[in-house]
Every structure is written in C-alpha cells, then in structure tokens.
Amino acid sequence: MPWTKLKNIILMILVLTNLCLLAFVLGQMFQTSRQEGQAREEAISYLRDRGVQVDEGLIPKSVDLLPQVVERDLAGEERGAAALLGGPVQVEARGGEVYRCFNGSGSIQFHSDGSFSAQLEASAFPLGEDRAAGALALLERLGIQGELLEEEGEALTFRQFWDGVPLFDQQVTLICQGEGAAILSGRRLAGPPAVDTSRRTITIATGLIGFLNGVGALGDVCNQVDGVEPGYSSAASLSGPMTLTPVWRVRTDTGAYQLDLVTGHVSRVS
C-alpha cells in the first residue's frame, strides 16, 4: 500500500479516536452537571420542607469562584505607590516586613498582611465635585476596584472588588481635607491572586444543607432566603500568603450570614 494512503488512514484513525475521547468527556461532563442540578433542586426542596422559603432563582446554579492564594509583590507595591503619588518614590524598609514609599506629594506604608496607610498632601489630590468618583479614581491608581459603602462627614468607606467580585473583608477608608484627599487606610491585595489547587469548593447542595444546619447550630431560625451574593472572604498572615476563600453572603428574614464554600462553615454577618 502506498505510504500516502497509509498515512491518511493513520490520520483518520487518530481523528476518530480524538472524537470518541471528546464525546466521552462531554458525556461525563453533561452527566455530572445533570446530577449536580438534580441535587441542587433536592436541597432547595429540603429547605422548603423545613419551613425555609427559597426562590430557586436566587440560588446560583454552580460554584464558579475558585480558592485563591496571594503572594506579596514588593515591586508591585512600589509601582502602586508611584502611581498613587504621581512620580518616582523612595523606598524605606522599616523592619517587620513593613515598607514606606514616599516623595514630595506624600507617603504610603505597606504591611505584609495587605494593610496600608497613606498620608497625602491634600492640595495635590483634589477629588472634584463628585468626591466618591474622585476617590475611586484615586484608589484605581493603587490597583483597587471598589464601590462606596458609606459617606459620613469627611470619611468615605469603600468595599473592594477583584475581577468584578466583592472582597467582603477588604475595605478602604479615605479622609478628606478641604476638597482633597488627606489619608487613605485599609487593606488591599498584596499581589496578584492565583488559583489555590490545595483547596476545593463544596457543591451547591452541600452548601445549602450546610447553611441550614449552620444557622441552627448558631441558635438562629430563619423562614426565608431573601438573597445570595457570591464573593470572597480574605485571610491574611504575617508570615505567609493571603488567601481568598469563595463564600456566599446569604440574606434572610432574620439576619445575614456568610457560608464558607470550602469548609461549609456558617457565621453571622453584622
């Protein structure tokens, strides 16, 4: 048989083999998705049978957020400081993994746990007529996305986001002086997040049943789920990386709770 024909036959066999493997994988994915969807529906029914009213449309159909780990990026801190302060900065090591970056416009001090504080020359940082919008633009220089939570007097408090997802434990407060920004303080991501392959998320069904059991373990009772907001809870370490854990913020008729989508732990939210 000519080599050209033999080569074509081999290629056809390889293509058919790959198509069979693809069909098998897609079939397995479809079956897993169907089983998880059925388990989700059964868990919602389980809550309803126990007196908790749940609108199925409020419950996510999958856990899309993955656990993340954040290693500190010292070079990124210096770049962020230069962007915030509007020019090159000097860096001063203050011990204990604390670094202070400064120039003529002000200074910012970074800690290993992601906390920071900045002292600014207010006249160099005008916020404009819309203080909240001006403050958000200032935070973006540090690589911080956010939304205004509260404005009280000269203080504006923002909740942070990463990749469009709320970081429930990460807040920044800006203090105004006159028409400019004078003080920034709070916590930020100490570096770019990366997927944490050492941790896995629980299923929707496991989370829902765990939520009901967790609320009961706290000695609380709820009769209705009013909303579910996926996001991240952050935990910082003085000697190791920061972790981001997928969570649900669950609003009920009697209060708000946080469900850890890795451990299943439930806690109250004030």
Side-chain angles (χ1 to χ4, degrees):
M1 180 182 293
W3 167 243
T4 302
K5 289 186 177 180
L6 181 60
K7 182 173 67 173
N8 288 338
I9 292 172
I10 292 173
L11 290 175
M12 184 63 67
I13 292 173
L14 290 174
V15 169
L16 290 174
T17 300
N18 287 334
L19 288 175
C20 290
L21 289 173
L22 178 61
F24 175 77
V25 170
L26 291 176
Q28 290 291 98
M29 291 174 61
F30 175 77
Q31 183 176 1
T32 299
S33 177
R34 184 175 60 181
Q35 290 173 344
E36 290 180 352
Q38 183 177 354
R40 171 180 173 273
E41 292 175 2
E42 292 174 351
I44 291 173
S45 295
Y46 178 84
L47 266 64
R48 289 172 177 166
D49 290 343
R50 280 149 185 79
V52 181
Q53 296 302 311
V54 183
D55 181 347
E56 186 175 345
L58 296 177
I59 307 300
K61 294 185 177 180
S62 61
V63 178
D64 298 322
L65 303 181
L66 298 176
Q68 305 284 327
V69 63
V70 181
E71 297 284 353
R72 188 177 188 183
D73 180 5
L74 293 176
E77 290 179 355
E78 183 175 348
R79 290 193 300 270
L84 173 68
L85 299 176
V89 295
Q90 294 181 279
V91 181
E92 175 187 25
R94 313 200 77 178
E97 297 298 318
V98 177
Y99 293 88
R100 177 174 176 265
C101 303
F102 60 96
N103 63 18
S105 297
S107 66
I108 181 168
Q109 185 165 285
F110 297 101
H111 298 254
S112 59
D113 63 354
S115 60
F116 71 95
S117 58
Q119 304 286 331
L120 308 174
E121 291 292 334
S123 60
F125 298 91
L127 297 176
E129 293 184 5
D130 187 338
R131 293 198 307 182
L136 283 171
L138 193 62
L139 292 179
E140 287 177 0
R141 297 190 198 178
L142 274 176
I144 296 175
Q145 303 172 10
E147 67 173 358
L148 181 66
L149 282 181
E150 183 181 33
E151 183 172 359
E152 184 175 352
E154 299 301 303
L156 293 83
T157 301
F158 299 87
R159 181 172 71 174
Q160 295 180 53
F161 285 77
W162 171 66
D163 200 22
V165 179
L167 305 175
F168 293 121
D169 304 318
Q170 305 271 101
Q171 294 187 2
V172 175
T173 298
L174 181 146
I175 307 297
C176 302
Q177 182 178 327
E179 298 181 353
I183 299 174
L184 271 177
S185 62
R187 288 180 61 196
R188 62 189 288 275
L189 295 178
V195 175
D196 183 356
T197 57
S198 68
R199 297 185 294 157
R200 292 182 178 274
T201 55
I202 59 179
T203 65
I204 297 292
T206 300
L208 288 173
I209 295 173
F211 166 73
L212 182 62
N213 293 335
V215 170
L218 291 171
D220 297 348
V221 176
C222 69
N223 300 307
Q224 180 173 306
V225 172
D226 295 324
V228 176
E229 183 180 15
Y232 281 107
S233 174
S234 61
S237 170
L238 294 176
S239 58
M242 175 185 291
T243 58
L244 298 180
T245 300
V247 298
W248 283 354
R249 285 287 175 96
V250 183
R251 291 182 291 104
T252 75
D253 58 324
T254 57
Y257 300 88
Q258 182 165 288
L259 170 65
D260 186 312
L261 293 174
V262 172
T263 66
H265 178 71
V266 176
S267 57
R268 296 188 186 95
V269 177
S270 57

